[in-house]
Amino acid sequence: MLAIKLAYRNLIGAGLRTWLNVFVLSLSFLVIIWHRGIINGWDRQARNDTMNQEIGGGQYWHENYDPYDPFTLTDAHGIIHEKLQSDDNYAPVLVAQATIYPGGRVQSVLLKGIEPAQKVLTIPTEYLESDAVEIPVMLGSRMAENNKLKIGDFVTVRWRDANGTFDAADAKVVHIFKTNVPMIDNGQMWVSLKRLQKIMQMDGEATMVVTSQDITSAQDLPHWLFKDYSILLKEFDEMIKMKNVGGLVMWFVLLLLAWIAIFDTQVLSIFRRQKEIGTDIALGMTRGQVIRIFTIEGAMHGILAAILAAIYGAPLLYLQAVKGMSMPEGTDDMGLVISDTIYPYYTIGLVVVTAMVVLITTTIVSFLPTRRISKMNPTDAIRGKIQ
Amino acid sequence: MENSKIISIEGLIKWFPIGGGKFTALNDINLTFGKGEFAGLVGPSGSGKTTLLNIIGSLDAPSEGKATVLGQSIGELSHKKAAKLRNEHLGFIFQTYNLLPVYSVYENVEFPLLLLGKNAEERKKAVMDALEWVGLTDKIKSRPAQLSGGECQRVAVARAMVKKPVIVLADEPTANLDAENSHNILQTMEKLNSELKTTFIFATHDEKVKKYLHRKVSLFDGKVSQDELVEKVGNG
């Protein structure tokens, strides 16, 4: 108790110096939590968007469908099972290979037919509802950018139908949507399901049926195999895990800055306060007591910083979690898959673990320089003669 | 000199390693000090005054010989036992005051009592008494930086005396003070010596201090060159 009392008295007595150190450390606290919150929010948002815009609650795949083998795609279609007909819970998607010729160039694409009125995926398929002569198509913004296509542009599409006959027609870009799910953007062209079935000579057929998020588990049906969202997100989740390992490096760097701030304060403190240390020993303190006081002082910096960070940081972090953080235009051009606004996501676990790690490690870092005290000659320390 | 010997030094030698050799700071010192003495170790710079004072204060240990303070052999004390001896029975006054800069006057004087584990009521009474002895009751909330040199040294005296130690060791206590402040401090210490029977041992080469001493132990080149009792006619 005495050590705590004296350490507290020393800290409060040091006034502005203490509060500057505490403020810097509290900033480290906040940046560490904020950084993890942004990463978590980004991952969470990407996962949610992937489910909302691509995967749904799960997918029925035609038995021949293998997304990793494009050569099987021509055979990966079949009559939609009667239980999987398009409604609020099912959105059949027909996938077909095609070639487009934007600006005289050749580009392979996947045509994806989907019911314009579907409610399962949150992509603006209603734009595909059209009786126009040209095929109304919808593109993701990256696809449109890569092929220099704008709304209203025409592009020639060439495909090979179910009977092996090549055919071509003009498609009109009716809508360009922004998404941070690359799998529904890059190299994809969205078409009305009926229109695609018609031009492919595949009436009533689909390659997959996306289920709503109310249906996350289901039995396989004849020729249709159910893949739940955990299977479909497996690669995504593994990628997040890998990214988290990378994120730990940043987390560690920020923590290192906090440690250096504490270590520097302690080293400077022990050097500058050597007269005080010598006096403490002359007045009857043991070296162990002095070391304890200095270590507790360092640890108290961490505790005060945590309290200060909670006072001014919690409202800031909360505000940003609610309002989100707008990302600048052009992040797509840098190859970053990111939404317009990122909502940081903080968990109690994140805050508690960060606080504990910072507190424990700053205590250890506070202790390390104080070991010099045990080697100090008190008679030299009293006169401030130690270099 | 009082009869009861509280400090006994026999054949004390202290040397420090310098380069490949050693420098002998104290050589064959034999001294005793009794309770209630007002004595001084006098001599020029480098004569070994502070070294001897540090050994008596258990901040340093003899290289050879024996120094016994209040029945405890300094050379044989562990760090903890030496700290206990200083904590319970010794008071220190330094040339540069060595007050804790972030503490108020009250907190500086209270500090030794905290180490002794006194309760808040005991501490308050003792601190106020000590500050009254040195005439600083109106400055209890001031920080050392807000005090003059003389006031700082009076706080240091109060801090040394607050626990009513058996021995107070003062290393050049007036070196940074003007004549008037020096006399005030010395009069205060002399008064405390006579009232509380505390033994004061000074290390000094200041003529102003020498006038107050009741016993002068002269050191020269690490040896006792003279040990004399001073006939006191009046203060100063």
Side-chain angles (χ1 to χ4, degrees):
Chain A
M1 274 308 288
L2 176 65
I4 293 171
K5 187 173 185 169
L6 293 177
Y8 176 77
R9 197 178 266 189
N10 287 345
L11 276 186
I12 298 301
L16 183 64
R17 194 158 37 83
T18 294
W19 292 112
L20 282 174
N21 282 332
V22 165
F23 179 68
V24 169
L25 195 57
S26 74
L27 272 181
S28 301
F29 252 114
L30 219 57
V31 173
I32 289 169
I33 292 172
W34 175 80
H35 173 257
R36 288 307 304 165
I38 289 282
I39 298 285
N40 285 350
W42 188 346
D43 292 343
R44 193 165 173 264
Q45 213 164 324
R47 200 173 193 276
N48 286 344
D49 287 348
T50 301
M51 286 187 73
N52 291 336
Q53 297 174 22
E54 185 196 358
I55 287 171
Q59 291 176 349
Y60 277 98
W61 286 1
H62 184 268
E63 59 188 352
N64 293 335
Y65 180 56
D66 178 357
Y68 301 109
D69 185 358
F71 296 108
T72 62
L73 199 56
T74 47
D75 299 323
H77 54 89
I79 296 294
I80 301 166
H81 192 279
E82 59 183 13
K83 287 186 177 171
L84 305 179
Q85 294 299 320
S86 184
D87 63 15
D88 284 354
N89 283 324
Y90 298 103
V93 176
L94 178 62
V95 184
Q97 285 174 315
T99 308
I100 60 170
Y101 299 89
R105 290 175 290 116
V106 183
Q107 166 84 48
S108 292
V109 295
L110 280 182
L111 293 176
K112 283 190 169 174
I114 189 166
E115 192 62 54
Q118 62 82 29
K119 301 271 187 257
V120 174
L121 299 176
T122 59
I123 49 178
T125 50
E126 65 274 11
Y127 288 98
L128 299 174
E129 192 72 74
S130 170
D131 294 327
V133 180
E134 301 87 3
I135 305 168
V137 294
M138 185 174 77
L139 308 173
S141 55
R142 273 179 293 273
M143 170 73 174
E145 174 71 24
N146 290 344
N147 293 287
K148 310 283 183 237
L149 291 170
K150 301 184 295 295
I151 292 174
D153 282 356
F154 292 92
V155 63
T156 303
V157 185
R158 183 170 172 263
W159 67 89
R160 193 179 176 203
D161 68 20
N163 301 315
T165 308
F166 282 99
D167 201 351
D170 277 346
K172 183 182 179 185
V173 179
V174 293
H175 185 65
I176 293 170
F177 63 97
K178 186 161 170 43
T179 177
N180 58 342
V181 182
M183 292 299 285
I184 62 166
D185 186 340
N186 293 331
Q188 318 264 315
M189 198 172 242
W190 292 84
V191 193
S192 154
L193 177 64
K194 292 273 185 315
R195 196 72 177 253
L196 188 60
Q197 285 171 337
K198 188 177 169 189
I199 63 174
M200 294 299 293
Q201 306 285 319
M202 296 177 187
D203 281 349
E205 292 190 29
T207 305
M208 67 174 86
V209 178
V210 183
T211 69
S212 76
Q213 289 181 39
D214 296 333
I215 302 171
T216 53
S217 64
Q219 295 293 319
D220 290 345
L221 296 168
H223 308 298
W224 293 92
L225 310 174
F226 185 73
K227 311 284 180 187
D228 70 26
Y229 72 91
S230 61
I231 294 172
L232 297 170
L233 283 171
K234 196 176 168 202
E235 281 185 15
F236 184 89
D237 288 341
E238 277 171 7
M239 192 183 74
I240 285 180
K241 266 187 203 163
M242 290 294 292
K243 197 150 72 79
N244 279 342
V245 173
L248 277 179
V249 173
M250 189 64 189
W251 184 79
F252 183 75
V253 168
L254 290 168
L255 201 57
L256 195 67
L257 290 178
W259 291 344
I260 290 170
I262 286 282
F263 192 82
D264 182 53
T265 303
Q266 289 289 85
V267 169
L268 193 68
S269 197
I270 287 160
F271 176 73
R272 202 174 39 77
R273 290 166 64 185
Q274 55 177 289
K275 254 176 125 171
E276 182 184 328
I277 292 167
T279 307
D280 287 345
I281 291 172
L283 294 180
M285 272 190 166
T286 61
R287 287 181 169 91
Q289 277 178 305
V290 180
I291 288 172
R292 236 183 341 266
I293 288 173
F294 273 74
T295 306
I296 291 171
E297 273 183 41
M300 274 185 174
H301 275 110
I303 294 167
L304 289 176
I307 294 168
L308 186 67
I311 291 169
Y312 75 81
L316 285 177
L317 294 181
Y318 174 76
L319 195 70
Q320 202 181 35
V322 173
K323 297 267 183 193
M325 186 172 80
S326 297
M327 297 308 292
E329 290 288 328
T331 44
D332 284 358
D333 302 338
M334 295 188 289
L336 285 171
V337 179
I338 199 162
S339 59
D340 293 339
T341 307
I342 289 186
Y343 295 91
Y345 183 66
Y346 311 105
T347 59
I348 296 287
L350 168 69
V351 175
V352 170
V353 167
T354 304
M356 291 310 291
V357 168
V358 173
L359 286 179
I360 291 168
T361 54
T362 50
T363 304
I364 294 167
V365 169
S366 301
F367 166 72
L368 295 177
T370 63
R371 291 178 307 168
R372 283 188 61 177
I373 292 171
S374 62
K375 293 174 190 157
M376 263 186 193
N377 180 349
T379 58
D380 288 339
I382 286 166
R383 295 194 216 178
K385 281 172 73 178
I386 297 167
Q387 297 300 310
Chain B
M1 192 190 297
E2 302 269 338
N3 284 333
S4 86
K5 289 175 188 169
I6 54 173
I7 299 167
S8 166
I9 297 163
E10 295 165 39
L12 185 142
I13 297 171
K14 179 69 186 179
W15 50 262
F16 297 100
I18 289 183
K22 57 187 183 183
F23 166 72
T24 305
L26 294 171
N27 196 357
D28 194 25
I29 304 289
N30 294 284
L31 284 171
T32 57
F33 292 94
K35 185 166 168 52
E37 279 202 50
F38 202 74
L41 306 171
V42 299
S45 292
S47 58
K49 308 182 295 286
T50 300
T51 306
L52 183 54
L53 208 66
N54 285 337
I55 291 172
I56 295 170
S58 73
L59 291 170
D60 210 343
S63 305
E64 291 172 42
K66 196 168 184 182
T68 308
V69 177
L70 298 170
Q72 301 192 57
S73 175
I74 297 299
E76 293 162 18
L77 290 178
S78 64
H79 282 308
K80 277 190 178 176
K81 283 189 175 164
K84 191 168 186 288
L85 173 69
R86 291 192 295 271
N87 188 12
E88 291 176 355
H89 303 298
L90 305 183
F92 286 86
I93 299 168
F94 305 100
Q95 177 180 345
T96 50
Y97 329 128
N98 288 41
L99 300 177
L100 303 176
V102 299
Y103 287 8
S104 65
V105 165
Y106 183 93
E107 288 167 338
N108 264 289
V109 179
E110 185 193 28
F111 189 79
L113 301 175
L114 280 171
L115 299 184
L116 279 171
K118 301 277 185 196
N119 65 41
E121 204 175 318
E122 287 175 309
R123 291 200 306 268
K124 190 174 180 185
K125 187 180 180 312
V127 171
M128 293 314 290
D129 284 350
L131 288 172
E132 203 167 315
W133 295 334
V134 297
L136 280 176
T137 46
D138 56 333
K139 301 270 185 182
I140 56 171
K141 287 184 180 166
S142 302
R143 293 277 182 94
Q146 297 167 309
L147 303 176
S148 68
E151 287 172 328
C152 281
Q153 198 58 298
R154 277 149 68 192
V155 176
V157 172
R159 182 178 65 183
M161 292 302 300
V162 71
K163 60 187 177 187
K164 295 184 180 160
V166 182
I167 303 162
V168 169
L169 303 167
D171 189 4
E172 304 282 10
T174 56
N176 287 351
L177 302 180
D178 58 29
E180 190 186 344
N181 275 312
S182 297
H183 286 300
N184 287 340
I185 285 287
L186 287 162
Q187 280 166 4
T188 304
M189 289 197 270
E190 197 176 40
K191 187 172 151 225
L192 291 168
N193 166 253
S194 67
E195 285 178 8
L196 302 173
K197 299 295 172 211
T198 305
T199 302
F200 278 78
I201 301 177
F202 296 84
T204 186
H205 62 277
D206 186 344
E207 291 301 325
K208 297 189 291 288
V209 179
K210 288 179 189 171
K211 287 179 191 168
Y212 281 83
L213 298 176
H214 302 183
R215 178 185 172 196
K216 278 195 272 189
V217 178
S218 302
L219 293 174
F220 190 78
D221 276 351
K223 289 183 177 172
V224 176
S225 59
Q226 198 176 20
D227 185 354
E228 56 176 336
L229 290 176
V230 181
E231 196 73 29
K232 299 302 289 183
V233 184
N235 280 351

